[in-house]
Amino acid sequence: MSADEKTPLFKNWNYWYILVIAFLIVLVISFYFFTKHFS
Amino acid sequence: MSTADWIVLIVTLLCVIIYGLYKSRSEKNLDGYFLCERSVPWYIVLLSIMGTQASAVTFLSAPGQAYTDGMRFVQYYFGLPLAMVVLCITFVPVFHKLKIYTAYEFLEKRFDLKTRTLTSFLFLVQRGLSTGISISAPSIILSSLLGWDIFYTNIFMGGLLIIYTVTGGAKAVAYTQQLQLIIIFSGMIIAGYMVVHLLPAHVGFFDALHVGGKAGKLNVITTGFTKKGFNWNDRYNLLSGVIGGFFLALSYFGTDQSQVGRYITAKSENESKLGLLMNGLVKVPMQFLILLVGVLVFAFYQFTNEPVFFNQSQLNVLAKSKYKDSLIVLQKEYNETEAKKIQQVNLLADKQVQKDVPAYIQTQLELKAIEDKKAKYRHTIKRWLDDKDVKGESNDTNYIFLRFVVDYLPKGLVGLLIAVIFLAAWSSIAAALNSLSAATIIDFHKRFSKKELSEKKEYDLSRWYTLLWGIFCIVVAQLAYNIGNSLIEAVNVLGSLFYGVILGIFLVAFYMKKISGNAVFCSAVIIEALVITIHVLNQKGIMNLSFLWLNAVGAIGVIILSALVNPLINNNKKVGNKLPT
């Protein structure tokens, strides 16, 4: 990666990785309650 | 199909072909043909990798899957976002630094020629066959539902896209995928809206969800644990989705040239990463929504006549078999049961009945008895179709959604939804043909040819290889017709037979710097044989392991065996080459 290429939106890519994993966790938890609510 | 449907279908397909040809202008060399001169922005990368992954089967099979088995299939994608993160950390920077055309070039730089050739060969076999099946699977469904000739359906399904794929290479593939996905998503959103719109006036969206939920169709999260412990043969649960799905997604996106070939076209490493991470964010919700359409279709059929079997052509087969008289009796009894079911479901939806708890419970019990009776009728139909004298196809899951579309959607919209099936097929097949051509010319022709080729000659050869692979896949599709509906599952199983081992090789390359080419090559051959053996034992009923776990077995097997074999093979020998830093 060239030095002048900045990570979009965040300071570095680690924040992006955390966002993706956190979003997955939120989805799984939401799906759990969705399943429970409608069963 | 009505005239309006034909017009919508033909105009939509023509628009995509013309757009593909319009976007075909690129440099007449390998960089232009396979890498779009590395000029693609992240959102095209995103749509391109989504379009490559989502085949026609995704849109045909997923709603049917939700209809029969509920929404737990979405868990199959839980490992994907994690795989995107690992790809961005490990694979993408190396692929960009090495400026490769195919993922397998990297293996020669890290190990040796034979490891690269073996891996590229495994890819060609697996991708070539599964692309043929990807053409055949939707063709079979469309031809039996609409009475089209299978030969010509295969030609149209796999042939028309060759025009812009041969002409425009990766650029035409990427930009048509963008248009295709817009049409596909629009079609699916309209279909979802129409299902809710077609529900009885007193039944709303949330009522439909409650109907699906009460029938166990909203089982998005399942653990796979039973009273006897964890069920290893259970395909879709949280654990198999996260672990098995992670390995499958990592090997598919990291080592399958049909995907690697999409994101290495990005104009920078950042754009590749952003496209992949966005895919990690949107893929699971997208799959959730596609499955939800299936649940809504299920709810719809609770208030209207549900066919005893969704594949009418198979009922026609039975009507000509020794079961023809029994079928007439069964159909009559089934229709009477359906009428009672609709009566009971409407009672359940009645607010007065809902307030009267004993009456509500009584209605629920009666409905349960009716559902059990219906299940027996369906089981009988399937048993008849499985009879060796009938030789029918007893799985109608993939016909459910399209049958609903054809029977209930208005004129014009049917044509659009049929176009969605074509475009979904085209987007993944076009990417596959482009990648097959890239692997053939880069990993074999150029690598082993002693003749120096001019840029123009390489470009022309690449186009010829794309055309030849297109013809090969259509021939496979024509031959695959005899296998029947089970070939849809064959695509997934075929992938799992090879992906794990290929991923294992790449993981060793990235993370185990001391392992040599000889060690990883021997391990890959042994573990591939082991994976195929496990699959055969599964088929014979001797073992009971879901195919999703084969990815993990292949990858972990190659890693462990390479580590064990390496000291024996490479005593005092030079080991792997250095990766770029």
Side-chain angles (χ1 to χ4, degrees):
Chain A
M1 192 173 19
S2 61
D4 58 341
E5 262 194 284
K6 282 185 182 171
T7 306
L9 219 62
F10 297 116
K11 212 163 79 179
N12 61 48
W13 283 104
N14 289 342
Y15 289 99
W16 270 104
Y17 305 148
I18 291 165
L19 173 73
V20 171
I21 294 167
F23 185 64
L24 175 68
I25 293 168
V26 169
L27 276 179
V28 172
I29 293 169
S30 312
F31 288 158
Y32 171 76
F33 285 111
F34 180 84
T35 304
K36 221 173 158 190
H37 178 75
F38 285 106
S39 60
Chain B
M1 282 211 315
S2 68
T3 313
D5 292 322
W6 277 109
I7 292 170
V8 171
L9 174 64
I10 292 167
V11 168
T12 312
L13 299 186
L14 274 178
C15 281
V16 171
I17 294 170
I18 292 165
Y19 184 69
L21 289 171
Y22 169 70
K23 283 285 179 186
S24 290
R25 286 167 298 171
S26 62
E27 289 292 318
K28 292 192 179 348
N29 55 28
L30 291 187
D31 247 36
Y33 196 71
F34 291 124
L35 300 174
C36 313
E37 294 110 31
R38 298 184 200 270
S39 62
V40 176
W42 70 266
Y43 52 89
I44 299 288
V45 171
L46 167 69
L47 293 173
S48 193
I49 55 181
M50 286 176 80
T52 302
Q53 189 183 18
S55 65
V57 173
T58 309
F59 297 95
L60 283 174
S61 184
Q65 185 92 27
Y67 190 104
T68 52
D69 189 41
M71 292 182 70
R72 67 198 189 111
F73 180 62
V74 78
Q75 296 169 114
Y76 181 74
Y77 295 91
F78 283 176
L80 186 143
L82 304 175
M84 295 300 110
V85 171
V86 174
L87 278 174
C88 289
I89 295 170
T90 313
F91 289 60
V92 176
V94 175
F95 288 165
H96 268 274
K97 276 192 187 87
L98 291 175
K99 296 200 180 299
I100 51 162
Y101 288 93
T102 75
Y104 319 110
E105 277 180 274
F106 157 69
L107 293 177
E108 185 174 357
K109 293 183 196 297
R110 167 64 181 86
F111 294 124
D112 50 31
L113 176 61
K114 65 178 180 299
T115 309
R116 169 189 179 177
T117 309
L118 170 75
T119 317
S120 187
F121 176 73
L122 288 178
F123 162 73
L124 289 178
V125 172
Q126 185 266 334
R127 185 49 55 203
L129 291 175
S130 59
T131 304
I133 295 171
S134 302
I135 296 170
S136 186
S139 296
I140 290 175
I141 296 165
L142 287 177
S143 66
S144 62
L145 206 66
L146 302 169
W148 295 352
D149 183 275
I150 184 68
F151 179 81
Y152 293 108
T153 314
N154 273 333
I155 300 279
F156 281 105
M157 190 66 76
L160 291 179
L161 67 114
I162 293 178
I163 300 170
Y164 64 79
T165 313
V166 169
T167 315
K171 193 173 179 189
V173 172
Y175 282 89
T176 46
Q177 281 174 325
Q178 175 195 14
L179 182 63
Q180 285 161 345
L181 273 188
I182 291 168
I183 298 170
I184 289 168
F185 289 143
S186 308
M188 290 306 283
I189 290 167
I190 295 170
Y193 168 78
M194 285 306 297
V195 188
V196 179
H197 178 73
L198 288 167
L199 287 166
H202 62 285
V203 182
F205 173 72
F206 287 102
D207 298 318
L209 286 187
H210 278 289
V211 170
K214 290 281 179 286
K217 306 296 177 189
L218 297 180
N219 53 349
V220 188
I221 301 290
T222 56
T223 61
F225 282 96
T226 62
K227 283 175 186 168
K228 292 175 185 169
F230 186 71
N231 180 7
W232 289 93
N233 198 33
D234 180 31
R235 284 187 182 174
Y236 311 118
N237 55 61
L238 193 57
L239 200 65
S240 75
V242 173
I243 300 173
F246 168 75
F247 280 103
L248 183 65
L250 193 61
S251 50
Y252 177 53
F253 286 94
T255 73
D256 189 311
Q257 180 60 24
S258 65
Q259 281 295 357
V260 177
R262 301 314 105 214
Y263 59 79
I264 58 172
T265 59
K267 57 182 160 194
S268 69
E269 186 185 319
N270 271 4
E271 300 281 318
S272 288
K273 283 182 175 176
L274 203 52
L276 286 166
L277 291 173
M278 284 295 181
N279 186 41
L281 288 173
V282 300
K283 186 70 192 180
V284 176
M286 185 194 101
Q287 254 345 105
F288 175 86
L289 292 175
I290 294 172
L291 287 164
L292 196 63
V293 172
V295 175
L296 293 174
V297 172
F298 172 83
F300 168 79
Y301 274 119
Q302 300 313 298
F303 296 94
T304 190
N305 272 324
E306 181 189 14
V308 64
F309 198 71
F310 282 90
N311 186 354
Q312 183 59 41
S313 68
Q314 292 302 302
L315 289 180
N316 297 343
V317 169
L318 279 181
K320 289 175 191 158
S321 72
K322 62 183 179 185
Y323 296 110
K324 60 181 178 191
D325 297 328
S326 312
L327 180 68
I328 294 168
V329 176
L330 183 143
Q331 192 86 57
K332 190 169 172 286
E333 287 176 11
Y334 179 84
N335 290 343
E336 286 165 6
T337 314
E338 267 296 287
K340 282 182 197 161
K341 178 206 77 179
I342 295 168
Q343 211 175 5
Q344 296 298 323
V345 172
N346 278 315
L347 271 177
L348 279 183
D350 188 321
K351 296 280 184 285
Q352 291 300 321
V353 178
Q354 284 173 7
K355 283 175 193 163
D356 184 352
V357 177
Y360 189 74
I361 293 171
Q362 181 60 30
T363 315
Q364 268 191 324
L365 288 172
E366 283 173 24
L367 188 61
K368 174 82 177 62
I370 290 170
E371 287 300 335
D372 290 344
K373 210 171 167 186
K374 276 177 60 185
K376 278 182 189 160
Y377 289 128
R378 272 179 65 79
H379 181 75
T380 307
I381 296 271
K382 288 182 175 198
R383 191 165 45 80
W384 290 345
L385 285 168
D386 283 334
D387 188 325
K388 63 179 186 318
D389 294 334
V390 179
K391 285 181 187 162
E393 180 56 62
S394 61
N395 184 359
D396 64 342
T397 305
N398 301 307
Y399 291 80
I400 294 170
F401 179 60
L402 218 50
R403 176 79 188 265
F404 162 78
V405 168
V406 172
D407 287 350
Y408 292 101
L409 292 196
K411 285 176 185 171
L413 214 50
V414 176
L416 178 69
L417 266 296
I418 303 286
V420 163
I421 304 303
F422 268 94
L423 297 184
W426 287 7
S427 64
S428 56
I429 297 163
L433 296 185
N434 182 256
S435 63
L436 286 164
S437 170
T440 310
I441 189 141
I442 303 290
D443 295 326
F444 290 92
H445 193 117
K446 264 191 86 177
R447 185 65 189 79
F448 292 102
S449 170
K450 286 172 185 156
K451 246 170 80 178
E452 195 65 32
L453 297 171
S454 67
E455 274 198 350
K456 175 75 173 58
K457 184 78 183 156
E458 284 177 347
Y459 172 77
D460 288 340
L461 263 173
S462 305
R463 296 173 77 179
W464 274 110
Y465 279 128
T466 310
L467 178 65
L468 288 175
W469 275 111
I471 294 167
F472 171 84
C473 293
I474 292 174
V475 172
V476 171
Q478 302 290 12
L479 296 173
Y481 175 60
N482 296 328
I483 309 173
N485 236 11
S486 55
L487 54 82
I488 288 165
E489 192 175 299
V491 178
N492 293 329
V493 176
L494 197 66
S496 295
L497 289 182
F498 297 100
Y499 277 152
V501 170
I502 297 178
L503 175 64
I505 297 171
F506 273 87
L507 289 179
V508 171
F510 282 117
Y511 294 111
M512 299 166 79
K513 306 281 164 65
K514 290 185 178 171
I515 304 288
S516 72
N518 287 340
V520 81
F521 182 83
C522 294
S523 307
V525 173
I526 293 168
I527 297 297
E528 186 57 65
L530 177 72
V531 168
I532 292 170
T533 308
I534 293 173
H535 174 64
V536 173
L537 294 176
N538 267 337
Q539 295 292 98
K540 290 186 184 294
I542 299 167
M543 276 186 80
N544 210 10
L545 190 72
S546 168
F547 72 88
L548 211 56
W549 292 103
L550 293 179
N551 296 292
V553 170
I556 296 169
V558 170
I559 292 168
I560 294 174
L561 196 61
S562 298
L564 293 173
V565 164
N566 194 57
L568 304 173
I569 291 183
N570 289 290
N571 272 339
N572 304 321
K573 280 187 187 171
K574 178 180 175 272
V575 290
N577 303 319
K578 275 187 180 174
L579 287 177
T581 51

